[in-house]
Amino acid sequence: MILTIDIGNTVITVGTVSKTGTHFVEHISTDTKKTDLEYAIAFRTILELYQIPSRPLTGSILSSVVPPLTAVINRALTKIIGKPALVVGPGVKTGLPIRIDNPAQLGSDMVVNAVAAAAEYPLPLILIDMGTATTLSVIDENGSYLGGAILPGAGIALDSLVNRTAQLPRISFEAPDTAIAKNTVDSMKCGIVYGNAAMLDGMIDRMEGELGRPAHAVATGDLAKAVIPHCTHPILYDEMLPMKGLYRIYMKNRTDG
C-alpha cells in the first residue's frame, strides 16, 4: 500500500492505494504557510481516522502544481514513511506519449489523470478536471495525449462574480429548478451550473469534431459532481482518478522489484 498526494492550488488530495484498489480519498486545504511537521500531523491524522498505520505503507508519490509546497510536503512524507516520495516530473516514467508542442509544460496533475484514464476507459477520450481551473484533455485511440483546453474554474468564476459586484450574494453551488430563473440567487445558480454544463457540452462537440469521431468523456474534481448531471453528453464521474494515476506511475518507477 502506498500513500498518494496530489497538491492542487486550492486543495491537497490524500489517499492510499494498493493493488486491490483505492482505500480512501480525502481533501485538506492548500496552505503554503504550513510547515512540514504540520502537514505530517495532518496526514498522520487522516491515516489514523481510516485505521491505516504508517508501518504498512511501502512508499509514497506526489504530484504538485504548487512548487513552493513540493519540498515541504515531501519532507512531511519522509517523516511519516521514513523515505522521500516519488515526485511526478521530468525523468519519471509515465508511459504516456505526449503530442503537444512542449511536453514539459504539461502539468503533472494532467499527466496523472491522463495515465489513469487512458488505462481504464475506452479511447478516444475527453478528460475533464474541474478544480481551481477547469481543464479538458484529449487522448486519442492510441493512448496518446493530443492536447486540450484550460478555462477559469467554476469556483473562481463564482468568486469573481461576487467579489466584483456590489449586490450579488454568495450562493451554494447547486442547480436551480429551471433555466429561466425568477430571482437573483437562482439566476446565479443557473449561470454557474447550467452555464458550465453548456460550456462542457460545447467543448466536447468541438473536440469530437476535430477528432472526426465520438469520444468517451470522464470527469474528476469536486465541482464536476454538481455540473455533469446537467450536461447533454454522457460523462462518467471518477473521484479516484488522480489516485489511480499516481499508483500506476509509482508502479512503473518502483525499484524494489
Side-chain angles (χ1 to χ4, degrees), residues 6-9 11 13 27 63 65 107-114 117 126-138 145 149-155 196 199-200 217-225 227-228 235-239 241-243:
D6 181 31
I7 307 172
N9 288 294
V11 298
T13 304
H27 308 280
S63 65
V65 295
S108 61
D109 56 337
M110 298 170 77
V111 171
V112 167
N113 286 337
I126 297 172
L127 173 60
I128 301 161
D129 186 357
M130 299 191 72
T132 306
T134 294
T135 62
L136 292 93
S137 302
V138 178
Y145 186 99
I150 303 175
L151 302 91
N196 274 274
M199 177 274 293
L200 293 180
V218 176
T220 192
D222 278 349
L223 297 181
K225 291 184 289 188
V227 173
I228 63 173
I235 303 173
L236 180 66
Y237 180 71
D238 189 342
E239 179 186 16
L241 202 62
M243 304 297 99

Side-chain angles (χ1 to χ4, degrees), residues 116-181:
E120 299 208 359
Y121 297 101
L123 303 173
L125 177 78
I126 297 172
L127 173 60
I128 301 161
D129 186 357
M130 299 191 72
T132 306
T134 294
T135 62
L136 292 93
S137 302
V138 178
I139 305 170
D140 70 11
E141 64 274 12
N142 299 313
S144 296
Y145 186 99
L146 296 186
I150 303 175
L151 302 91
I156 286 180
L158 180 57
D159 287 343
S160 179
L161 184 65
V162 172
N163 292 333
R164 290 177 176 269
T165 55
Q167 293 184 307
L168 295 182
R170 294 200 173 273
I171 61 169
S172 57
F173 203 100
E174 59 186 6
D177 294 331
T178 175
I180 304 175

Side-chain angles (χ1 to χ4, degrees), residues 53-113:
S54 58
R55 187 175 300 171
L57 295 173
T58 57
S60 60
I61 180 172
L62 71 87
S63 65
S64 174
V65 295
V66 187
L69 271 182
T70 305
V72 173
I73 289 185
N74 204 355
R75 291 195 299 270
L77 295 172
T78 303
K79 290 180 186 295
I80 295 173
I81 300 175
K83 58 184 177 181
L86 174 66
V87 180
V88 179
V92 172
K93 294 181 289 186
T94 66
L96 179 71
I98 301 174
R99 312 298 187 198
I100 64 174
D101 294 340
N102 185 355
Q105 290 183 339
L106 188 62
S108 61
D109 56 337
M110 298 170 77
V111 171
V112 167
N113 286 337

